[in-house]
Amino acid sequence: MRGMIHEQTEVTDKLREECGVFGIYDLSGSDVASSIYYGLFALQHRGQESCGIAVSDTNGPKGKVSSCKGMGLVNEVFLPGSLDDLHGDIGVGHVRYSTAGASTRENAQPLVLNYIKGTLALAHNGNLINALELRKELEYTGAIFQTTIDSEVIAYHIARERVNTATVQEAVGNAMKKMKGAYSLIVMSPRKLIGARDPYGFKPLCIGRRDNAYMITSETCALETLGAEFVRDVEPGEIVTITKDGITSDTSMCLSRDEQARCVFEYIYFSRPDSHIDGVSVYGSRIKAGRFLAMDSPVKADLVVGVPESGNAAALGFSMESGIPYGTAFVKNGYVGRTFIKPKQSSRESSVRVKLNVLKEAVCGKRVVMIDDSIVRGTTSGRIVSMLKEAGATEVHMRVSSPPFLWPCYFGTDVPAREQLIACNRSIDEIRQIIGADSLAYLGLDRLSGIAEGLPICTGCFNGRYPMDPPAEDIRGEYER
């Protein structure tokens, strides 16, 4: 295979999430590596560039951590036999998609640090907006960095604080006081598993239990995969610590409910539909989004279809509310892995067609309502509209289950710079003409609270009103400059 160039499968114009995290402490002493593996498998949608597992034995030599990580999907990195040497009753795992920091093996997580107090293994989901400032602070005291990700900055600050604190969880708390931005963390020390969530609650984090094993993870779907019972969500700003004595909680950094700001895209697109985020069903949120679109932007049509996968539930909601039959118009190639050879510009093959094809019998001669979760640059939407019309659809009416993107995101979602956003400085009708749809409508900004069932959310990428002051310049990818 030497000489073959591999490209990301997701060449479609989709947003990507930063990462998924999973941690487990089995108080009965059983090995946990296989449980982490299946937990990461359930979180694969949150990151497909790299993954890793780090484990330790709480009854073994203090500070010994076994780890395995690499580039690729979970089942590409962990081959038969890969887990055989990962022995331990406590561990963390991570799947990654990069929004800051290059896509390289060095940046794969979990990160494992050996320092004067022992070892730390850390898995992080999110983006710090002051990471560069915190990194320089460490560099001026002689720190040498092995990666270009803000997660290493977090790990170093926790290690530094641990030197002067009585407990690891206290060190995590002191580090959090310096950190600005989005983070859900899982930290493994030799005898403790710690979960922490930023005070705004940008990224999800929850606790589960199976027999004598406690788990901390990004989504409830990972708990269900392992047959674990959901215990509760980690509150925004909370630090939870799991030891042999059970769970303790520090809520001293929690903000008032009104100050919180969850990423609404967890409900619209990122999370798996069978997950519940902060008590709200992701599937239910998408059904509601479709219903709202049907109420606010009705259209006469013969068929409602969703762009797989996140558009499907919203399409069903649109159908329920409008009475227009719900159907399947797309066949998704489930065997396209993380990488494939990207077609050359001169080739007739389309990267979208490699992954998605239209059922001509379903759409031929029909007026079709097509539901998707977002339009970023508009390139993919235009191709899909064109594919439906080539298959014989007489009209294609596009409905989008989020408002138009007008501003970049600095908190772990790869909404690009403003000049790359199709909605920036264009009217909805101008966008409609570009993508070739017969009509186009977006979810109203005022509907977002409804799909999140009233939970406080971040709307910065839609209206430029961020819950904290954004950086003066786009700092994403800064370390590579």
Side-chain angles (χ1 to χ4, degrees):
M1 301 292 284
R2 189 171 295 175
M4 181 177 287
I5 298 173
H6 286 77
E7 297 283 348
Q8 286 295 325
T9 311
E10 289 288 348
V11 292
T12 53
D13 192 22
K14 287 289 186 184
L15 297 179
R16 296 185 180 97
E17 230 286 329
E18 168 86 358
C19 303
V21 296
F22 186 92
I24 181 171
Y25 186 178
D26 193 322
L27 304 184
S28 63
S30 300
D31 282 347
V32 297
S34 64
S35 293
I36 300 173
Y37 171 84
Y38 289 113
L40 295 183
F41 215 85
L43 297 173
Q44 186 73 86
H45 58 287
R46 296 187 73 87
Q48 300 176 23
E49 287 187 0
S50 63
C51 60
I53 295 173
V55 299
S56 183
D57 183 355
T58 60
N59 297 308
K62 190 172 183 180
K64 181 183 177 183
V65 175
S66 302
S67 66
C68 176
K69 60 184 180 179
M71 302 301 294
L73 301 173
V74 174
N75 64 343
E76 293 172 341
V77 172
F78 297 101
L79 302 173
S82 297
L83 304 181
D84 293 350
D85 296 327
L86 298 180
H87 298 294
D89 56 354
I90 188 170
V92 292
H94 190 269
V95 291
R96 179 173 189 258
Y97 165 72
S98 60
T99 60
S103 178
T104 62
R105 190 185 183 283
E106 290 75 21
N107 287 342
Q109 298 185 43
L111 298 178
V112 179
L113 263 63
N114 295 295
Y115 70 118
I116 195 166
K117 287 284 189 176
T119 58
L120 284 177
L122 177 141
H124 166 223
N125 171 207
N127 241 34
L128 299 187
I129 61 172
N130 66 334
L132 194 60
E133 172 189 328
L134 294 176
R135 185 184 177 102
K136 285 180 178 176
E137 178 187 325
L138 291 165
E139 287 175 335
Y140 280 118
T141 61
I144 299 172
F145 287 86
Q146 305 297 319
T147 77
T148 59
I149 53 176
D150 52 4
S151 308
E152 189 177 15
V153 175
I154 296 171
Y156 272 161
H157 274 280
I158 292 172
R160 172 184 275 190
E161 292 293 336
R162 178 67 183 92
V163 174
N164 301 309
T165 57
T167 64
V168 180
Q169 57 267 40
E170 189 180 344
V172 171
N174 286 349
M176 285 173 65
K177 292 172 185 175
K178 299 179 179 180
M179 290 151 46
K180 297 177 183 177
Y183 53 88
S184 281
L185 304 173
I186 301 179
V187 179
M188 178 185 76
S189 75
R191 306 285 186 267
K192 296 174 181 176
L193 188 69
I194 298 163
R197 192 174 177 191
D198 73 75
Y200 294 93
F202 283 107
K203 305 298 176 186
L205 202 62
C206 64
I207 305 168
R209 181 177 182 178
R210 184 186 64 194
D211 301 324
N212 291 319
Y214 285 95
M215 304 170 194
I216 306 174
T217 186
S218 296
E219 292 186 40
T220 59
C221 65
L223 302 177
E224 292 174 10
T225 295
L226 289 162
E229 114 186 67
F230 170 76
V231 175
R232 67 176 179 86
D233 292 290
V234 176
E235 293 297 315
E238 184 183 15
I239 303 170
V240 294
T241 306
I242 300 171
T243 66
K244 289 282 188 185
D245 299 321
I247 301 179
T248 57
S249 168
D250 176 0
T251 58
S252 61
M253 275 173 286
C254 292
L255 300 174
S256 67
R257 188 178 187 276
D258 291 344
E259 295 176 278
Q260 296 170 2
R262 293 160 182 81
C263 176
V264 73
F265 258 84
E266 292 292 346
Y267 301 103
I268 294 169
Y269 174 57
F270 295 142
S271 296
R272 250 175 53 168
D274 52 331
S275 287
H276 286 72
I277 305 296
D278 288 324
V280 175
S281 162
V282 173
Y283 178 75
S285 293
R286 293 174 189 170
I287 292 285
K288 279 187 177 179
R291 285 188 177 275
F292 290 150
L293 282 169
M295 292 177 195
D296 302 339
S297 305
V299 63
K300 292 182 179 180
D302 306 304
L303 183 70
V304 183
V305 301
V307 178
E309 298 289 336
S310 54
N312 290 340
L316 181 57
F318 193 102
S319 171
M320 290 174 174
E321 187 65 32
S322 66
I324 301 170
Y326 171 78
T328 301
F330 302 103
V331 177
K332 187 176 181 181
N333 187 340
Y335 297 96
V336 179
R338 181 185 63 93
T339 56
F340 68 96
I341 304 171
K342 184 178 179 182
K344 296 178 181 177
Q345 286 297 100
S346 59
S347 172
R348 294 177 64 90
E349 290 88 359
S350 160
S351 298
V352 175
R353 291 178 191 272
V354 169
K355 195 170 184 183
L356 210 63
N357 290 104
V358 176
L359 283 166
K360 294 182 181 179
E361 293 82 0
V363 303
C364 187
K366 294 180 180 176
R367 300 166 296 174
V368 178
V369 180
M370 182 184 85
I371 313 284
D372 205 353
D373 54 77
S374 59
I375 304 178
V376 186
R377 298 173 181 87
T379 51
T380 297
S381 299
R383 291 187 193 124
I384 297 176
V385 169
S386 176
M387 286 164 62
L388 286 171
K389 291 197 171 184
E390 287 171 15
T394 57
E395 297 175 9
V396 177
H397 302 274
M398 186 166 184
R399 297 293 180 266
V400 185
S401 58
S402 65
F405 286 117
L406 297 172
W407 300 86
C409 174
Y410 302 99
F411 307 109
T413 303
D414 68 343
V415 178
R418 291 199 78 196
E419 59 269 18
Q420 297 180 48
L421 298 170
I422 191 172
C424 185
N425 299 320
R426 288 188 182 93
S427 68
I428 290 179
D429 192 60
E430 286 172 331
I431 300 168
R432 178 196 66 76
Q433 291 178 47
I434 291 171
I435 65 174
D438 291 278
S439 72
L440 170 66
Y442 290 83
L443 188 72
L445 191 63
D446 58 337
R447 290 296 199 180
L448 292 178
S449 179
I451 68 170
E453 295 190 6
L455 288 173
I457 54 174
C458 176
T459 58
C461 56
F462 306 126
N463 60 10
R465 297 173 189 165
Y466 302 101
M468 65 181 77
D469 290 336
E473 59 181 338
D474 195 341
I475 47 84
R476 297 171 295 176
E478 177 69 37
Y479 303 154
E480 280 78 47
R481 292 180 185 173

